[in-house]
Amino acid sequence: GFLGSYHCKAIAAFGGTPIALDLNLDNASLLKKEIQNEYSVELICYEADITSKDNLKEIANNISKKLQIRGLVNNAARNPIVDNTGLKNNSRFENFPIETWQLDLDVGLTGAFLCTQVFGSIMNDNDGGSIVNISSDLGIIAPKQSLYFQKGKPREEQSVKPVSYSVIKSGLIGLTRYTATYWPEKIRCNCLCPGGILNNQSQDFLSKVNAEIPLGRLANPGEYAGALIYLLSASSSYLNGSIISIDGGRTSW
């Protein structure tokens, strides 16, 4: 994924071995080359269905034969993209399909639960580690749907940020607090709530969303790297159960 690739690069840049799990490895070879060339670190990739505990256990056992697992980043999500033509989602609340709701929750929330269950248990049985859940500023505040409105469309046809996204990102905050107090002797768990990231959005959207952010802009893709490494590393050894919002100040208003 887009942000997940930058997480891998950050871990490699600071001396760790990044291991990426994804349902689709089409872009893995290019990312592996980038990380190898830039940091002389091998990116390990597994094709994985994170909604399958058996699949995760098989991968975890494979990893444990080669490396000690010391960190977990729960980053997976089905997130509709905002590009230069607008938000790619037309499922308004009134007609949001139960099938889409279930699939979104399976990946974004159940997947994080299962990864925490499998990899967290391994870390707890060994020397411990750190878990970072990637939520969103929209796990703290509601989406402002007018940001996605397009001129000339009636309200009932306007795209919206789906309800499942807010529910999942709020749920990850709850999972963070639960995990932080479940294995406190060995494992810390914290939550990072990023704001939007600059990625080919339309100028119309940017002008609207920038007005909602005190810094007046979206994040650049690499601006979360320092926070992620801080949360994964011993530098944050007394930080546990914290919800850290990095959103240019948006949730301060």
Side-chain angles (χ1 to χ4, degrees):
F2 180 63
L3 187 55
S5 298
Y6 284 90
H7 295 335
C8 291
K9 290 176 182 179
I11 290 166
F14 283 85
T17 301
I19 303 171
L21 277 62
D22 204 317
L23 193 62
N24 187 329
L25 296 184
D26 286 351
N27 298 321
S29 58
L30 179 59
L31 183 60
K32 289 180 79 162
K33 286 179 183 177
E34 287 181 11
I35 289 176
Q36 183 65 49
N37 291 339
E38 194 162 349
Y39 307 109
S40 299
V41 171
E42 180 188 4
L43 168 66
I44 301 170
C45 297
Y46 289 93
E47 188 171 310
D49 176 2
I50 64 167
T51 69
S52 167
K53 186 174 181 179
D54 288 341
N55 192 191
L56 290 172
K57 287 174 71 174
E58 181 182 352
I59 291 170
N61 289 335
N62 189 290
I63 294 170
S64 297
K65 292 174 184 177
K66 307 170 188 175
L67 295 165
Q68 186 177 19
I69 299 170
R70 296 304 304 272
L72 169 66
V73 181
N74 283 314
N75 180 73
R78 299 179 78 243
N79 183 19
I81 295 171
V82 181
D83 64 15
N84 56 15
T85 62
L87 178 65
K88 299 302 181 187
N89 177 70
N90 60 1
S91 294
R92 295 181 63 83
F93 184 81
E94 297 88 341
N95 59 12
F96 194 79
I98 186 64
E99 297 82 8
T100 303
W101 166 272
Q102 192 61 61
L103 185 55
D104 288 352
L105 263 66
D106 284 347
V107 173
L109 197 52
T110 303
F113 158 71
L114 290 174
C115 286
T116 300
Q117 194 176 55
V118 171
F119 295 103
S121 295
I122 290 173
M123 288 191 284
N124 187 58
D125 288 341
N126 293 293
D127 294 330
S130 175
I131 297 173
V132 181
N133 292 322
I134 306 298
S135 178
S136 167
D137 55 353
L138 300 185
I140 299 171
I141 58 174
K144 189 172 184 178
Q145 303 292 7
S146 60
L147 295 176
Y148 312 109
F149 283 10
Q150 293 178 317
K151 292 179 181 178
K153 278 188 177 182
R155 183 177 180 84
E156 62 273 13
E157 294 179 11
Q158 293 286 353
S159 293
V160 295
K161 198 77 170 180
V163 58
S164 53
Y165 188 81
S166 290
V167 171
I168 289 163
K169 294 306 184 182
S170 298
L172 286 171
I173 291 174
L175 179 63
T176 298
R177 290 176 173 141
Y178 185 93
T179 307
T181 57
Y182 190 77
W183 289 309
E185 297 85 2
K186 290 277 194 80
I187 293 175
R188 296 179 299 106
C189 183
N190 295 287
C191 188
L192 184 61
C193 297
I197 303 169
L198 196 62
N199 184 25
N200 197 37
Q201 294 92 344
S202 71
Q203 192 55 52
D204 178 60
F205 173 77
L206 290 175
S207 64
K208 289 189 287 186
V209 75
N210 289 348
E212 302 292 321
I213 303 168
L215 289 188
R217 64 176 178 85
L218 294 181
N220 293 307
E223 288 190 284
Y224 297 112
L228 180 74
I229 297 305
Y230 171 67
L231 293 174
L232 286 172
S233 74
S235 295
S236 59
S237 57
Y238 198 59
L239 193 72
N240 187 37
S242 291
I243 315 302
I244 300 176
S245 183
I246 303 183
D247 56 17
R250 184 179 180 187
T251 54
S252 298
W253 276 342

